Amino acid sequence: MSKISDIARRRVTQKLLPDLANPLPTGRLSRADVEDLVEAAGWAPFHRAAHAARSRADKVVEPWRFHMLDDVGCRALIPKLYSLPKPPSKIANMLAAADAMLLVTWLPEPSESGAWEANELNLEHIAAGAAAVQTLLLAATEKGIGSYWSSGGVLATVEAFDLMRISRDEVFLGAIFLFPEPPEGVEVSPGKLRGQRGEAASWSRWVPVSDQ
């Protein structure tokens, strides 16, 4: 078994849910550690550059963006989320545990309606962004850092984007929480579908190609 295959098998989805009155200590993961993971994510494949009209003044070609909060920033964000229309729910608990949180977005192609369209270019951008996220998750697993890819909840709202000064031109892809080893007494919620994974043969097939 190759090393990358072993890392992929070891990667697990789990979220830490401490009591909000007792957030976990900070200082276990440095900003440099997080930046190393993001740099690894940047080597994910992408086939089309982000549209110039959607890209920032620096003309960054990657179709994804990573907005990073360190552990102190995660804790500071919690009370601010309670001021928004959508309640933070378990997102607040995860922020109280996380060593870092990365809000990942992608840049859609402009459209006349203003809403992004499910066209070929945008689907490629989404696929590229997801590849970058998976690369980061594997890099975190290699370093023994726990992770959870969240669908966002309150973090996916325009109000949260405004709070974190994220452009509304960007589209939410996921919030990645990086967690320490679960301390004793802290609730850990595992991924719901890991035990339901099928064998590769159940969702893959060889394509027969004949001369007929």
Side-chain angles (χ1 to χ4, degrees):
M1 182 185 300
S2 66
K3 185 175 182 180
I4 191 65
S5 296
D6 179 54
I7 293 170
R9 285 170 170 80
R10 286 195 287 114
R11 187 210 60 78
V12 295
T13 294
Q14 63 177 24
K15 50 187 172 183
L16 273 58
L17 301 168
D19 190 295
L20 288 178
N22 297 290
L24 299 191
T26 58
R28 295 168 302 234
L29 195 65
S30 71
R31 286 191 169 194
D33 292 330
V34 177
E35 290 168 359
D36 284 346
L37 298 179
V38 172
E39 183 177 356
W43 288 102
F46 65 101
H47 300 144
R48 303 292 182 91
H51 194 284
R54 293 297 200 201
S55 197
R56 296 193 178 96
D58 54 15
K59 301 296 187 295
V60 176
V61 297
E62 286 84 356
W64 57 71
R65 297 291 182 268
F66 283 69
H67 303 275
M68 303 175 288
L69 281 77
D70 61 15
D71 47 8
V72 175
C74 287
R75 308 301 186 270
L77 183 62
I78 296 171
K80 297 180 183 297
L81 293 180
Y82 278 100
S83 69
L84 304 184
K86 185 180 178 71
S89 186
K90 291 184 179 179
I91 292 293
N93 301 86
M94 288 192 284
L95 287 169
D99 286 333
M101 189 273 287
L102 302 93
L103 197 147
V104 186
T105 64
W106 63 281
L107 301 174
E109 297 294 305
S111 67
E112 293 184 2
S113 67
W116 69 272
E117 301 172 352
N119 56 39
E120 180 181 353
L121 280 177
N122 281 334
L123 293 179
E124 286 200 10
H125 292 336
I126 294 170
V133 170
Q134 174 69 345
T135 302
L136 184 140
L137 295 178
L138 294 176
T141 300
E142 182 183 28
K143 293 180 179 296
I145 301 169
S147 63
Y148 179 73
W149 183 351
S150 169
S151 55
V154 63
L155 298 174
T157 64
V158 294
E159 292 86 1
F161 270 42
D162 292 344
L163 181 63
M164 291 182 278
R165 299 181 182 179
I166 299 172
S167 170
R168 291 193 180 189
D169 285 340
E170 301 177 32
V171 179
F172 179 86
L173 183 61
I176 311 304
F177 291 85
L178 300 178
F179 290 125
E181 284 292 320
E184 185 176 352
V186 172
E187 179 186 352
V188 179
S189 178
K192 297 178 181 179
L193 298 178
R194 186 175 183 86
Q196 300 178 40
R197 291 179 185 272
E199 296 293 332
S202 68
W203 44 260
S204 64
R205 59 184 283 269
W206 288 104
V207 177
V209 178
S210 67
D211 296 332
Q212 296 180 353

